Amino acid sequence: MQHREILKSAKRIVIKVGTSTLTHENGKMNLIRMDRLAMTIAELMNENKEVILVSSGAIGVGMGKFNLRKRPDVMGMKQALAAVGQCELMNIYSRLFAAYNHTVAQVLLTKTDLDDDVKRLNVMNTFNSLMEFGVLPIVNENDTVSVDEIQHLNMFGDNDTLSAVVAKLVSADLLIILSDVDGLYDKNPGKSKECRLISIVENIDDTVLSYAGGKGTSRGTGGMITKLSAAKIATEAGVNMVIANGANPVVILDILKGEDIGTLFLRKEKKQDDAAAV
């Protein structure tokens, strides 16, 4: 529990929610869960914490809009679904957070935005300005112009990685990834009754990597391996990271109370030379 105490003082927090957390099996939005997420984040902001939300779900919501149960193979169709779904997603977020007297802003990124020094600085300044105004930035990869997230290529490949890159960019204290699993297990919980939830990970070595396996859901792109990749990016940048079950987003408050929930990946000491690098 001693390691968990450091989470109580987290001031700048990046929260990532996946498609499986935001939607039902049929692809329709899980509005009750989204409202709990909005209420929880609003409470954090009322406590003067700075929050950035990285939200998947655009393609999944688009699929639900057209009653599609399987992600299409045609790239143009995926991008069209992302365009429809992102609009719907932000509309819902805007209404939910307005009910708690908070304003949201959409930030769509591609890998080229963070590859270029000038663009990266502009993105960082935008995040800082939004948080200074008390606005919640809601981040997603710009799927309508970037195929990397959809095809699992290069820098992002998924929003787990994107959330870690954002956490590194803004020098966050904590990254919380909400998923459909309780955390990292030493065996696949779907196949073994003897699996054990790992509470603390101090070093992401070959043993830890061997615990990951399998793909994400049909509505999302991530799996445990992408979360471990995100953990490596975050912790090496000096950011603590927690993987927890997002079935009840209020769990975020318990994590910040230092409770033993999910898997905590401990940050490495950040080198001064790396502090400004992304």
Side-chain angles (χ1 to χ4, degrees):
M1 292 295 291
Q2 182 179 0
H3 290 306
R4 299 274 180 169
E5 291 293 312
I6 60 177
L7 303 185
K8 294 181 178 180
S9 61
K11 167 70 174 176
R12 179 168 287 191
I13 304 159
V14 176
I15 298 170
K16 184 265 178 179
V17 289
T19 303
S20 59
T21 300
L22 297 174
T23 62
H24 295 288
E25 286 292 333
N26 62 5
K28 300 294 185 181
M29 301 305 301
N30 189 327
L31 296 176
I32 293 177
R33 192 173 290 171
M34 290 186 71
D35 182 58
R36 288 174 180 165
L37 176 67
M39 177 188 67
T40 300
I41 292 177
E43 181 63 23
L44 294 179
M45 296 174 72
N46 289 344
E47 295 174 1
N48 292 322
K49 293 186 182 296
E50 298 173 328
V51 183
I52 295 174
L53 176 63
V54 178
S55 176
S56 300
I59 294 179
V61 172
M63 288 170 59
K65 197 78 172 174
F66 294 104
N67 296 314
L68 300 177
R69 299 301 298 270
K70 181 181 178 182
R71 288 168 72 96
D73 296 325
V74 179
M75 182 56 60
M77 180 63 72
K78 292 178 183 178
Q79 292 176 307
L81 290 175
V84 172
Q86 184 65 27
C87 183
E88 181 78 4
L89 195 61
M90 285 305 301
N91 181 41
I92 294 172
Y93 275 133
S94 181
R95 287 189 283 112
L96 288 174
F97 278 97
Y100 296 104
N101 297 314
H102 285 285
T103 302
V104 302
Q106 175 178 265
V107 180
L108 297 179
L109 298 174
T110 66
K111 70 184 187 68
T112 57
D113 294 326
L114 300 184
D115 282 343
D116 181 85
D117 290 343
V118 174
K119 289 182 178 180
R120 183 171 65 248
L121 180 60
N122 289 338
V123 171
M124 185 168 61
N125 289 338
T126 297
F127 279 130
N128 287 332
S129 295
L130 287 171
M131 289 186 287
E132 185 178 342
F133 283 127
V135 173
L136 173 70
I138 299 181
V139 185
N140 197 358
E141 183 146 8
N142 193 348
D143 293 335
T144 58
V145 298
S146 174
V147 300
D148 289 345
E149 195 272 347
I150 298 175
Q151 291 185 326
H152 305 272
L153 300 175
N154 298 328
M155 184 175 173
F156 295 152
D158 58 89
N159 275 358
D160 293 328
T161 303
L162 175 59
S163 67
V165 171
V166 169
K168 179 179 179 179
L169 177 69
V170 301
S171 299
D173 300 307
L174 176 64
L175 167 62
I176 299 175
I177 293 183
L178 296 182
S179 183
D180 55 359
V181 294
D182 294 332
L184 176 66
Y185 286 88
D186 62 347
K187 297 183 180 68
N188 188 331
K191 297 180 179 179
S192 174
K193 294 182 179 180
E194 299 178 354
C195 61
R196 178 176 62 91
L197 180 65
I198 309 298
S199 177
I200 303 287
V201 173
E202 297 188 40
N203 184 40
I204 304 173
D205 54 20
D206 289 341
T207 299
V208 171
L209 291 174
S210 71
Y211 297 154
K215 300 180 180 179
T217 67
S218 61
R219 290 165 287 135
T221 60
M224 187 53 68
I225 191 64
T226 68
K227 291 170 179 56
L228 293 184
S229 296
K232 191 171 182 63
I233 293 170
T235 55
E236 289 183 354
V239 181
N240 289 306
M241 186 183 117
V242 173
I243 299 174
N245 197 312
N248 184 3
V250 179
V251 74
I252 293 169
L253 300 179
D254 296 328
I255 291 171
L256 291 170
K257 291 176 183 176
E259 295 187 17
D260 189 11
I261 294 172
T263 301
L264 168 62
F265 296 82
L266 293 174
R267 68 187 180 190
K268 306 293 184 183
E269 289 299 323
K270 187 162 53 175
K271 298 177 182 179
Q272 287 187 341
D273 293 342
D274 297 336
V278 175

